[in-house]
Amino acid sequence: MENHGLTLNKYSIGTGDRFAHQAKAQLQACVDALENGIEVVPVWNKSNREHTIIGSEPCSVRVAADAAVKALNWKLPYFCDADHINSETVERFFAPCDFYTIDVADAIGQAADAAEISSFVKRHPELLGRIQMQGMDEALEITPEHLGQTAEKFLAAVKKAGEVYRQIEKAKGAGNFIPEVSMDETDRAQSPAELLIILAAIADEGITIQTIAPKFSGRFNKGVDYQGDVAQFKHEMALDIAAIEYAVRQYGLPRNLKLSIHSGSDKFSIYPAIFGVMQEFDAGVHLKTAGTTWLEELIGLAEAGDDGLELAKDIYSEAFRHRDELCAPYATVIEIDPARLPSPSEVRGWSSGQYTSALRHVEGTATYNSSLRQLLHVGFKVAAKMGTRFTDLLAANEAVIAKNVTENLFDRHIAPVFLGRGA
């Protein structure tokens, strides 16, 4: 199952650009990484849901990415990701995309055919007992009951991933796209033993997977820091990477297969752990941190003052009024305390500095408001409805917005994760 076409680099960052205005500023962060001695390739991602909300087409992501690459003379690879697609939504992404996040979380737990489960278990006796992985003192222990239960829970999801993969392969041709399988948007973290079993099933399906996105323990809420035991996350990540390396050797999966960490943006407390584990195993990571850019656009508009600040206040007012509607699709990945949300009238009286300090993610400051940040994170639909009033101001204030976008992506994300520097 070696790759004979597109290959994802060791280090990559998946970054969203909801309104297709910040690709150049985002790419500049990768240029800055290169100037600091590390290759981090960009993967611009946008989901079908986001395209539907904004009213955009997948080709807009490709156009913006290509223009940024040309403007900055970027010579390394770059990709456009059809984010969280399934068999019903994938077709519109065939032409512009070369990276596909196949999301099968909804199929986890669906009943698989009993005969297929039995066949899988019989086909993989090597998964039973004690499995010692390179680089780990701790071994995985898999009983026949555990193997059968895991197959029962995940086999239907992997079969679904295979169906979508073959749809893409038929349209794009073998080797002409990067496949990722995503299982992070579900209710329970997958254990490293379950991940190994899942990878065996993925190999059976013939998916030339290059990244896998499991769910980790702890909470990965949108746009705010990780909530959970950082030491436990680090331990899980190390075991997952060891399981991936074992699966690559055992099942002939692509040698560049790596973890994809769907961070929901700004998981600053686990970034040192990610860097440490990557160094320990000499492993790569795909870090997806999509939503941050939209918030940096708001911060830039507020910093610009005048019409930009007024628009930022209007967006908050509308998001506050429609918070139930905006939050509903993201209920499992946000935790907003209504008592912490300032009233629209209070925000109307804020200065530029008050607005940006409440929204900018700087933990430990008295003014930072994680509830306001999460509400605005899911409130991009409000800006989309404003049409050219919003996008014209993005263009008019490009310099200040771009500075925020680049500094945020490099200083707070790329540097801690890939260079080991403090944010």
Side-chain angles (χ1 to χ4, degrees), residues 281-325:
F281 284 87
D282 190 23
V285 154
H286 178 61
L287 178 72
K288 186 171 286 190
T289 179
T292 303
T293 293
W294 143 244
L295 295 179
E296 293 303 318
E297 287 177 329
L298 271 185
I299 288 169
L301 288 172
E303 273 192 350
D306 300 326
D307 290 345
L309 177 59
E310 190 66 23
L311 178 68
K313 292 177 179 179
D314 287 347
I315 289 172
Y316 177 76
S317 296
E318 282 298 297
F320 184 90
R321 277 192 284 270
H322 297 280
R323 57 190 181 276
D324 291 341
E325 168 196 335

Side-chain angles (χ1 to χ4, degrees), residues 143-370:
T143 65
E145 293 76 18
H146 186 198
L147 180 57
Q149 290 168 0
T150 303
E152 183 177 12
K153 182 172 184 180
F154 292 101
L155 205 55
V158 175
K159 292 284 185 183
K160 177 61 71 174
E163 292 171 10
V164 180
Y165 172 80
R166 285 183 284 276
Q167 277 184 268
I168 303 166
E169 187 177 52
K170 183 178 179 181
K172 303 286 293 185
N176 292 327
F177 62 100
I178 308 293
E180 170 174 304
V181 174
S182 168
M183 295 186 168
D184 68 303
E185 294 193 355
T186 187
D187 59 345
R188 186 180 67 82
Q190 294 100 43
S191 70
E194 288 173 331
L195 179 62
L196 179 56
I197 296 167
I198 289 165
L199 289 170
I202 286 173
D204 286 351
E205 283 291 311
I207 303 171
T208 56
I209 185 175
Q210 295 194 38
T211 66
I212 178 102
K215 181 178 176 64
F216 295 93
S217 62
R219 286 192 64 89
F220 286 74
N221 290 333
K222 296 288 187 182
V224 294
D225 206 352
Y226 174 76
Q227 295 178 26
D229 185 335
V230 174
Q232 175 65 21
F233 168 84
K234 186 175 183 179
H235 182 63
E236 288 177 11
M237 181 181 171
L239 283 170
D240 283 348
I241 287 177
I244 288 171
E245 291 181 353
Y246 182 92
V248 167
R249 293 191 303 272
Q250 181 71 35
Y251 304 115
L253 290 165
R255 283 180 290 182
N256 69 321
L257 173 58
K258 62 181 181 177
L259 274 180
S260 179
I261 300 176
H262 290 196
S263 72
S265 305
D266 292 30
K267 301 301 173 284
F268 302 144
S269 62
I270 63 171
Y271 287 174
I274 295 173
F275 176 77
V277 174
M278 285 197 299
Q279 296 303 300
E280 180 182 352
F281 284 87
D282 190 23
V285 154
H286 178 61
L287 178 72
K288 186 171 286 190
T289 179
T292 303
T293 293
W294 143 244
L295 295 179
E296 293 303 318
E297 287 177 329
L298 271 185
I299 288 169
L301 288 172
E303 273 192 350
D306 300 326
D307 290 345
L309 177 59
E310 190 66 23
L311 178 68
K313 292 177 179 179
D314 287 347
I315 289 172
Y316 177 76
S317 296
E318 282 298 297
F320 184 90
R321 277 192 284 270
H322 297 280
R323 57 190 181 276
D324 291 341
E325 168 196 335
L326 294 170
C327 292
Y330 301 92
T332 60
V333 286
I334 55 174
E335 286 184 298
I336 294 174
D337 179 0
R340 291 271 296 138
L341 292 174
S343 67
S345 59
E346 179 183 348
V347 173
R348 284 285 174 204
W350 281 0
S351 65
S352 174
Q354 286 174 300
Y355 192 105
T356 57
S357 62
L359 180 55
R360 184 177 280 121
H361 190 176
V362 182
E363 295 280 1
T365 61
T367 51
Y368 168 60
N369 188 323
S370 63

Side-chain angles (χ1 to χ4, degrees), residues 51-68:
H51 280 297
T52 301
I53 289 172
I54 291 172
S56 56
E57 292 294 330
C59 61
S60 64
V61 178
R62 172 61 64 182
V63 169
D66 288 349

Side-chain angles (χ1 to χ4, degrees), residues 84-100:
H84 288 291
I85 48 86
N86 55 40
S87 57
E88 288 74 39
T89 58
V90 66
E91 186 174 350
R92 69 190 299 217
F93 294 91
F94 285 154
C97 292
D98 48 16
F99 188 119
Y100 291 82

